[in-house]
mmCIF file of all heavy atoms in Angstrom:
data_model
loop_
_atom_site.group_PDB
_atom_site.id
_atom_site.type_symbol
_atom_site.label_atom_id
_atom_site.label_comp_id
_atom_site.label_asym_id
_atom_site.label_seq_id
_atom_site.Cartn_x
_atom_site.Cartn_y
_atom_site.Cartn_z
ATOM 1 N N ASN A 107 197.433 -77.497 48.556
ATOM 2 C CA ASN A 107 196.961 -78.402 47.648
ATOM 3 C C ASN A 107 197.453 -78.035 46.294
ATOM 4 O O ASN A 107 197.444 -76.905 45.791
ATOM 5 C CB ASN A 107 195.436 -78.448 47.697
ATOM 6 C CG ASN A 107 194.877 -79.109 48.879
ATOM 7 O OD1 ASN A 107 195.532 -79.752 49.600
ATOM 8 N ND2 ASN A 107 193.611 -79.045 49.137
ATOM 9 N N SER A 108 197.739 -79.140 45.468
ATOM 10 C CA SER A 108 198.240 -78.884 44.104
ATOM 11 C C SER A 108 197.114 -78.251 43.185
ATOM 12 O O SER A 108 197.488 -77.526 42.280
ATOM 13 C CB SER A 108 198.789 -80.173 43.562
ATOM 14 O OG SER A 108 199.908 -80.623 44.219
ATOM 15 N N PHE A 109 195.917 -78.645 43.518
ATOM 16 C CA PHE A 109 194.738 -78.160 42.692
ATOM 17 C C PHE A 109 193.651 -77.631 43.568
ATOM 18 O O PHE A 109 193.462 -78.132 44.703
ATOM 19 C CB PHE A 109 194.254 -79.310 41.916
ATOM 20 C CG PHE A 109 195.252 -79.985 40.910
ATOM 21 C CD1 PHE A 109 195.802 -81.103 41.266
ATOM 22 C CD2 PHE A 109 195.527 -79.310 39.790
ATOM 23 C CE1 PHE A 109 196.709 -81.715 40.500
ATOM 24 C CE2 PHE A 109 196.464 -79.885 38.883
ATOM 25 C CZ PHE A 109 197.093 -81.132 39.296
ATOM 26 N N GLU A 110 192.981 -76.657 43.148
ATOM 27 C CA GLU A 110 191.867 -76.043 43.822
ATOM 28 C C GLU A 110 190.614 -76.977 43.714
ATOM 29 O O GLU A 110 189.873 -77.020 44.643
ATOM 30 C CB GLU A 110 191.523 -74.682 43.314
ATOM 31 C CG GLU A 110 192.550 -73.571 43.586
ATOM 32 C CD GLU A 110 192.137 -72.268 43.140
ATOM 33 O OE1 GLU A 110 190.959 -72.109 42.721
ATOM 34 O OE2 GLU A 110 192.923 -71.183 43.276
ATOM 35 N N ASN A 111 190.596 -77.691 42.544
ATOM 36 C CA ASN A 111 189.500 -78.537 42.444
ATOM 37 C C ASN A 111 190.057 -79.997 42.123
ATOM 38 O O ASN A 111 191.096 -80.130 41.549
ATOM 39 C CB ASN A 111 188.630 -78.184 41.162
ATOM 40 C CG ASN A 111 188.000 -76.807 41.399
ATOM 41 O OD1 ASN A 111 187.448 -76.484 42.355
ATOM 42 N ND2 ASN A 111 188.266 -75.933 40.331
ATOM 43 N N ASP A 112 189.317 -81.012 42.478
ATOM 44 C CA ASP A 112 189.624 -82.446 42.229
ATOM 45 C C ASP A 112 190.840 -82.915 42.985
ATOM 46 O O ASP A 112 191.277 -84.043 42.833
ATOM 47 C CB ASP A 112 189.876 -82.602 40.734
ATOM 48 C CG ASP A 112 188.692 -82.159 39.853
ATOM 49 O OD1 ASP A 112 187.531 -82.559 40.165
ATOM 50 O OD2 ASP A 112 188.955 -81.357 38.881
ATOM 51 N N ASN A 113 191.254 -82.169 43.923
ATOM 52 C CA ASN A 113 192.538 -82.565 44.663
ATOM 53 C C ASN A 113 192.249 -83.864 45.485
ATOM 54 O O ASN A 113 193.077 -84.878 45.372
ATOM 55 C CB ASN A 113 193.036 -81.531 45.553
ATOM 56 C CG ASN A 113 194.496 -81.584 45.852
ATOM 57 O OD1 ASN A 113 195.289 -81.203 44.887
ATOM 58 N ND2 ASN A 113 194.928 -82.033 46.974
ATOM 59 N N ASN A 114 191.213 -83.982 46.235
ATOM 60 C CA ASN A 114 190.907 -85.172 46.983
ATOM 61 C C ASN A 114 190.662 -86.425 46.068
ATOM 62 O O ASN A 114 191.195 -87.528 46.435
ATOM 63 C CB ASN A 114 189.658 -84.922 47.811
ATOM 64 C CG ASN A 114 189.933 -83.992 48.986
ATOM 65 O OD1 ASN A 114 191.143 -83.787 49.358
ATOM 66 N ND2 ASN A 114 188.911 -83.461 49.553
ATOM 67 N N ASP A 115 189.998 -86.234 44.980
ATOM 68 C CA ASP A 115 189.809 -87.290 44.002
ATOM 69 C C ASP A 115 191.107 -87.882 43.498
ATOM 70 O O ASP A 115 191.305 -89.130 43.386
ATOM 71 C CB ASP A 115 188.858 -86.951 42.916
ATOM 72 C CG ASP A 115 187.404 -86.713 43.329
ATOM 73 O OD1 ASP A 115 187.216 -86.075 44.472
ATOM 74 O OD2 ASP A 115 186.541 -87.173 42.635
ATOM 75 N N LEU A 116 192.013 -86.887 43.110
ATOM 76 C CA LEU A 116 193.272 -87.286 42.670
ATOM 77 C C LEU A 116 194.106 -88.028 43.706
ATOM 78 O O LEU A 116 194.791 -89.027 43.393
ATOM 79 C CB LEU A 116 194.053 -86.099 42.207
ATOM 80 C CG LEU A 116 193.599 -85.563 40.775
ATOM 81 C CD1 LEU A 116 194.064 -84.073 40.616
ATOM 82 C CD2 LEU A 116 194.100 -86.430 39.676
ATOM 83 N N VAL A 117 194.020 -87.636 44.915
ATOM 84 C CA VAL A 117 194.769 -88.242 46.087
ATOM 85 C C VAL A 117 194.155 -89.673 46.205
ATOM 86 O O VAL A 117 194.937 -90.657 46.331
ATOM 87 C CB VAL A 117 194.530 -87.594 47.348
ATOM 88 C CG1 VAL A 117 195.024 -88.318 48.494
ATOM 89 C CG2 VAL A 117 195.304 -86.201 47.336
ATOM 90 N N MET A 118 192.870 -89.880 46.187
ATOM 91 C CA MET A 118 192.312 -91.276 46.353
ATOM 92 C C MET A 118 192.669 -92.138 45.243
ATOM 93 O O MET A 118 193.055 -93.325 45.502
ATOM 94 C CB MET A 118 190.720 -91.075 46.485
ATOM 95 C CG MET A 118 190.341 -90.319 47.737
ATOM 96 S SD MET A 118 190.814 -91.165 49.232
ATOM 97 C CE MET A 118 189.747 -92.651 49.227
#
Side-chain angles (χ1 to χ4, degrees):
N107 286 349
S108 295
F109 301 100
E110 292 185 4
N111 302 311
D112 306 308
N113 207 76
N114 287 342
D115 289 42
L116 285 162
V117 169
M118 292 299 290

